[in-house]
Amino acid sequence: NGGLKMINTYTKNALLNHLFRGTVYNAPATLYLGVSKSAPKEDGTGFTEPSAASYARYEITSNTTNWTEPIDGSLSNSPAFRFVEAQESWTTAASPLTHWAIFDASTGGNMLFYGSLLKPQEVPAGGILEIPQNALATTIVNA
């Protein structure tokens, strides 16, 4: 489940450039949800994804089916987001998944938003990580 959510430096700068400087920001047609065993930093570093062969970021088409309509600067996922079944363990008890992030690429790319999971998650072989409907809330707030 998605907990604390933050807009990162790349996204802030892209939006400001788009709105105030006329530099066009082309929103990605596909977003990619990744999970991490460490807390990412606002600059997009520090995100440690599972190194398991069966792990891949979850692909999300940017559309009105996958995301709710924004209300007061916040939206969430309309369907549940289910990762592929883990063919081998993605985590250990000592190093569970603790954070999520949305990227503009299936590997590498730019981190757009990130947040903490409501509770640490272990994904053993045969497990399926699922983000329930409306659990990945993303909010833009004033500081």
Side-chain angles (χ1 to χ4, degrees):
N1 296 345
L4 174 68
K5 50 272 181 196
M6 305 290 290
I7 185 171
N8 82 327
T9 303
Y10 170 83
T11 309
K12 288 177 188 177
N13 291 341
L15 292 174
L16 290 171
N17 276 323
H18 181 79
L19 293 170
F20 292 97
R21 299 181 69 218
T23 304
V24 175
Y25 173 70
N26 293 312
T30 304
L31 300 170
Y32 298 88
L33 173 62
V35 289
S36 177
K37 298 183 277 184
S38 60
K41 295 180 176 65
E42 187 174 335
D43 67 3
T45 62
F47 197 76
T48 310
E49 293 178 271
S51 58
S54 63
Y55 170 78
R57 292 177 183 168
Y58 182 80
E59 186 175 310
I60 308 163
T61 301
S62 299
N63 62 30
T64 58
T65 301
N66 288 324
W67 300 99
T68 62
E69 182 176 350
I71 297 174
D72 295 328
S74 182
L75 58 69
S76 62
N77 56 309
S78 293
F81 294 157
R82 286 180 66 120
F83 284 76
V84 299
E85 181 179 334
Q87 299 303 306
E88 64 285 299
S89 178
W90 291 0
T91 60
T92 64
S95 185
L97 298 170
T98 57
H99 290 78
W100 61 268
I102 295 176
F103 294 87
D104 60 6
S106 59
T107 60
N110 298 296
M111 181 186 293
L112 305 176
F113 288 86
Y114 65 97
S116 59
L117 297 174
L118 292 178
K119 65 179 185 171
Q121 298 290 314
E122 288 184 58
V123 181
I128 298 174
L129 178 64
E130 180 177 296
I131 306 298
Q133 180 181 22
N134 296 318
L136 188 67
T138 303
T139 306
I140 298 175
V141 297
N142 296 331

